Amino acid sequence: MIDALGGYGVATVHEAQDRAGLLAAYMRPIYPGAAISGSAITVLVPPGDNWMVHVAVEVCRPGDVLVVAPSSPSSNGYFGDLLATSLKARGVRGLIMDAGVRDVATLTEMKFPVWSKAIWAQGTVKASLGSVNVPIICAGLRIEPGDVIVADDDGVVAVPRASAVKVAEAAEKRVANEEEKRKRLAAGELGLDIYDMRDKLKKLGLEYR
Amino acid sequence: MIDALGGYGVATVHEAQDRAGLLAAYMRPIYPGAAISGSAITVLVPPGDNWMVHVAVEVCRPGDVLVVAPSSPSSNGYFGDLLATSLKARGVRGLIMDAGVRDVATLTEMKFPVWSKAIWAQGTVKASLGSVNVPIICAGLRIEPGDVIVADDDGVVAVPRASAVKVAEAAEKRVANEEEKRKRLAAGELGLDIYDMRDKLKKLGLEYR
Amino acid sequence: MIDALGGYGVATVHEAQDRAGLLAAYMRPIYPGAAISGSAITVLVPPGDNWMVHVAVEVCRPGDVLVVAPSSPSSNGYFGDLLATSLKARGVRGLIMDAGVRDVATLTEMKFPVWSKAIWAQGTVKASLGSVNVPIICAGLRIEPGDVIVADDDGVVAVPRASAVKVAEAAEKRVANEEEKRKRLAAGELGLDIYDMRDKLKKLGLEYR
Amino acid sequence: MIDALGGYGVATVHEAQDRAGLLAAYMRPIYPGAAISGSAITVLVPPGDNWMVHVAVEVCRPGDVLVVAPSSPSSNGYFGDLLATSLKARGVRGLIMDAGVRDVATLTEMKFPVWSKAIWAQGTVKASLGSVNVPIICAGLRIEPGDVIVADDDGVVAVPRASAVKVAEAAEKRVANEEEKRKRLAAGELGLDIYDMRDKLKKLGLEYR
Amino acid sequence: MIDALGGYGVATVHEAQDRAGLLAAYMRPIYPGAAISGSAITVLVPPGDNWMVHVAVEVCRPGDVLVVAPSSPSSNGYFGDLLATSLKARGVRGLIMDAGVRDVATLTEMKFPVWSKAIWAQGTVKASLGSVNVPIICAGLRIEPGDVIVADDDGVVAVPRASAVKVAEAAEKRVANEEEKRKRLAAGELGLDIYDMRDKLKKLGLEYR
Amino acid sequence: MIDALGGYGVATVHEAQDRAGLLAAYMRPIYPGAAISGSAITVLVPPGDNWMVHVAVEVCRPGDVLVVAPSSPSSNGYFGDLLATSLKARGVRGLIMDAGVRDVATLTEMKFPVWSKAIWAQGTVKASLGSVNVPIICAGLRIEPGDVIVADDDGVVAVPRASAVKVAEAAEKRVANEEEKRKRLAAGELGLDIYDMRDKLKKLGLEYR
């Protein structure tokens, strides 16, 4: 199910979920072309303190995606190549970080995908506690542990576990439906005709001059 | 004429136009290396509503560039691979979007170039009208239908149709002029000497210590 | 010494310097994969006026890095391929610009690396004086002439000349130390154990449920 | 209970709730000195469309606070003096708007308090549906219908209905505790001594030179 | 006509103009309660250079509003109490500045109203030319010399001279229309009924649970 | 000397110092009309951790101004009414905070002036050390302990102790000079004539049409 959702991509899953579940537009991949899906391990961290990320590694299992958000806004580099090495060893598929990351040249070489708010080397301390696997607000979205995360070049979307099957079915229909439209559009047909928009536009008062 | 302006590139055309006509710095290409020029089809859209983009497709002809601006700021993903397929079928050279776009992995594969304010999957509705081929303010610049659009890795510049010939001539001179300077600079000559700046700087009070 | 610091990279040098010396997170490379180090030539420029950059070229020597900051915030394109040609001819390794740059397609082809606040074609004038080789504030950091600049995909860090040896030694130790940890993490050991964190976390009150 | 929480103020309630529940720092009152508390009526609105605010008015009762968030970021003026007149007639205590408001001179005269992301006259349409009294993300916080909202010059905090009693008790203790400290601080005693910090600081390595 | 438009206020004039003509939301008054209208004198200034503001003073006549925009973004303090003294002596009603202003304590005492992007003391030079009474883009809107400017606590709106009469008539109707609605809303009637929205909402699918 | 500088105000002192020494434009007073000057006590704090502010109180003496900057960007509320009570008891004149503050209603009542980046109730921890009375970068400016701080409605400026006398003299001259100009401008004379600008403008090519 998680892999299926990943296959549809962020835009399709977001639409299949009634246009809900997207993280904010500032969450960008550190290199182009990455596309993952997985089950969310959530981490709430203090600003400028990455200790709980180390704690969270222990609960990660193959197929998970680590999702980290600070309790107040931060662009510090919470995550680098050593943590990535550790996560990769545990089968984690990627990181969603509502803050900064660093060592991005090495992360790119390792092909460990990260979506983050910033790329910045600013270090963190290990002084205060946070929480692992609690509901968090990450880049404007509430994410619960176990939510399905899908991330690609378009950004990041989360799907509650309970609705994953329904969303995947809606996504499947959408994709099937789009394939035929793509062919007709490529052949030069207009969306105005394919989607039968002319009448509705006229009723709303659209004028051609 | 449009192709000639495209050949000079954004920075040169902007200078040739007395440093006018640039869109805001936040307009960035979705992939590096794209460079286009074309005639503007303009679209004014409501925030979060892409219906008028579908309407605009019908008036596009080969060599056009679609230029879209919302009536109030938005980062929604107004445009994706289906619309790109349709525009490509009509010979449109690219999109300038003062808002968000999505399906950027597919757009990159298709080599359909887009300059936008954001990359974001957030969907739009089709509920309200806007306008096609009226003057719009796009990323801080007024653009009229038929303006020549030039876009590359440096951003986006617009040239009013009436002054396109004059600007192209000024750009041509500028390029010719730069070629010789580039050689002298590469050989180690200083701009201070090539541009004859030392006297002017001295008069303004520049001191060497 | 400068080359050694460059070899460690931005994140390591920043940590070796007690987490100081980073420029703001908005300073980004114009293309991925660039990594340089060098001695700072500093330039203070008026907003929208790049005259002093031309003046600064004359004092640049092989191995230098040009560091430019405006006296009030600007995103104008202070720098393009002609200035890069001139700097390259003098052996300059790269540019740090707390403003905009342009001609980035050509700069990328030339492999002349730039870290900047913006990419924008907006031209500048040559009307007012500034200063060369004075202390400047660049992207939130004070930089003195002769500071060692290290820049890569993680951003930009500066090291005062007087502490360069000490920082390089600390960086060397850090790298040696990390190598062994990387192997243990790759083998599946947990940071919680390698860094001996469990006791400290327990004392602070961490609970497992 | 709701009035008690209002009496403690935003900063105290936030601390009493273990430093949780604050809306983002960009939420500011339209005039200084306003301070309210109430039960949340939540509204999810499309970008640039305020129709659902009109729908929500009907479910408002005396003592409520209207909390509105757009489904994608917007600064449009969703709310003005007519809607305020209507809400005031129904006994609503104020508005929390993660977007823009207008008619602020009249709202100030009417003493109808609003906390918003922007003040902007840009009008909205009435074309698409949203939702009333569903959980929403407002300025980075998840708010459920019936949450207790407290707002003053420091911003906005929300308290889940289930924990309101507990939070009020903690706030009460905090206030009592602060009163005595305030007197000692006013008399010239140092926080270092009152809070017994000197030993802890020394252990962490603080040095006086 | 200009005074009539001023009397309706920014929000009403903007609506009467089919929701067009607003400057960006970041344009804020330096003190609350100011409300002006007047005929635009436009000034295009280089970044960080206020020379042309001095030039523009000469063409100002009683009833004018000075509208200033930089050719690239700037927050410098282009304007202070001396220039305000000069403008006041010429009967100018206020300033719209898409950049910074300073001496705001004195401007407030003088009751010289200013809407600006920033309050900042950063000084400017007098080194380069710009233009007076040409079309400019100010805070995202194109303004022509002679446009009617209306500004109050809600922001700034411009009305082209040619349509001023028509807009004033539409504003007058709107105000008359609102007066009656305000009374009915104050008496507790619902907008849902006054505006006859229930049927339309039902047709679009609104459900009550 | 410090009081004299305070009397001239921020804009004048900044100009008298050759347009240097201003903090960034985002530093705003929490209430209008405050104007102070004093000797800087500097504090470097970790993000989201206000412990060092408590430490700094002990070194404050009458006439000082506390200047606080985080080691990475933060908008947390580092400071509230209890700390203000303590500082007031020690004769401190105000606070410059490159982060957030809270309890602003009480601070306003107490007439304890604060210039800050944000107003936000978000609490801080007391877990990590920082530094007191070291050079810091605050809102883009380097400030040394003992620098003279001047703050009013226009923002904040710092004057190095060593140049305070010279700057005060230059400010005095500037003020004297402005007084006469203000009278002439109020009487309707033009700056173009008073400052003798017409010839210079003509030489640069200014045309009247």
Side-chain angles (χ1 to χ4, degrees), chain A residues 51-52 54-55 57-58 75 81-82 85-86 89-90 101-105 118-130, chain C residues 10-11 14-15 19 22-25 28 153-154 174 178 182 185-186 188-192 195 197-198 200-201 204-206 208:
Chain A
W51 211 357
M52 294 312 286
H54 291 269
V55 172
V57 172
E58 190 175 25
S75 291
D81 66 336
L82 288 183
T85 301
S86 186
R90 300 187 76 79
V101 295
R102 61 188 195 180
D103 300 330
V104 295
I119 296 172
W120 202 30
Q122 179 70 46
T124 52
V125 297
K126 297 185 203 330
S128 301
L129 300 184
Chain C
V10 170
H14 158 69
E15 289 283 343
R19 289 183 195 135
L22 274 182
L23 275 65
R28 300 297 307 140
D153 287 336
D154 285 349
R174 198 177 161 86
E178 280 191 350
R182 185 173 289 107
L185 292 165
E189 266 190 89
L190 287 171
L192 286 176
Y195 304 113
M197 292 169 169
R198 293 190 192 272
K200 288 173 217 153
L201 287 162
L204 270 178
L206 185 71
Y208 286 83

Side-chain angles (χ1 to χ4, degrees), chain F residues 12-150:
Chain F
T12 296
V13 168
H14 158 70
E15 290 282 345
Q17 197 174 211
D18 294 329
R19 289 184 195 133
L22 276 182
L23 275 64
Y26 62 70
M27 295 296 288
R28 300 298 306 140
I30 58 168
Y31 56 84
I36 62 165
S37 60
S39 175
I41 300 289
T42 62
V43 194
L44 181 68
V45 291
D49 188 319
N50 81 343
W51 212 358
M52 292 314 284
V53 180
H54 291 268
V55 173
V57 172
E58 189 174 27
V59 306
C60 289
R61 288 166 310 179
D64 284 342
V65 171
L66 200 63
V67 184
V68 184
S71 55
S72 65
S74 174
S75 292
N76 281 33
Y78 281 78
F79 186 92
D81 66 335
L82 288 183
L83 275 164
T85 301
S86 186
L87 288 183
K88 213 172 178 181
R90 301 186 76 79
V92 172
R93 295 184 174 175
L95 171 73
I96 312 298
M97 171 66 73
D98 189 5
V101 296
R102 61 188 197 181
D103 301 329
V104 295
T106 309
L107 297 178
T108 303
E109 262 176 52
M110 291 171 64
K111 291 284 168 212
F112 187 85
V114 176
W115 285 256
S116 73
K117 180 176 150 189
I119 295 172
W120 201 31
Q122 178 70 47
T124 51
V125 297
K126 296 184 206 330
S128 301
L129 299 184
S131 305
V132 174
N133 275 342
V134 296
I136 59 174
I137 302 285
C138 179
L141 186 78
R142 178 179 165 110
I143 297 184
E144 306 227 14
D147 279 0
V148 180
I149 303 296
V150 180

Side-chain angles (χ1 to χ4, degrees), chain A residues 26-115:
Chain A
Y26 62 71
M27 295 296 287
R28 300 298 306 142
I30 59 168
Y31 56 84
I36 62 165
S37 60
S39 174
I41 300 290
T42 63
V43 194
L44 181 68
V45 291
D49 189 320
N50 79 342
W51 211 357
M52 294 312 286
V53 180
H54 291 269
V55 172
V57 172
E58 190 175 25
V59 306
C60 290
R61 289 167 308 180
D64 285 342
V65 171
L66 200 64
V67 184
V68 183
S71 55
S72 65
S74 175
S75 291
N76 280 33
Y78 280 78
F79 185 92
D81 66 336
L82 288 183
L83 275 164
T85 301
S86 186
L87 287 182
K88 215 174 176 178
R90 300 187 76 79
V92 172
R93 294 183 176 177
L95 170 74
I96 311 297
M97 171 66 73
D98 190 5
V101 295
R102 61 188 195 180
D103 300 330
V104 295
T106 309
L107 297 178
T108 303
E109 261 176 54
M110 291 172 64
K111 292 284 167 211
F112 187 85
V114 177
W115 285 255

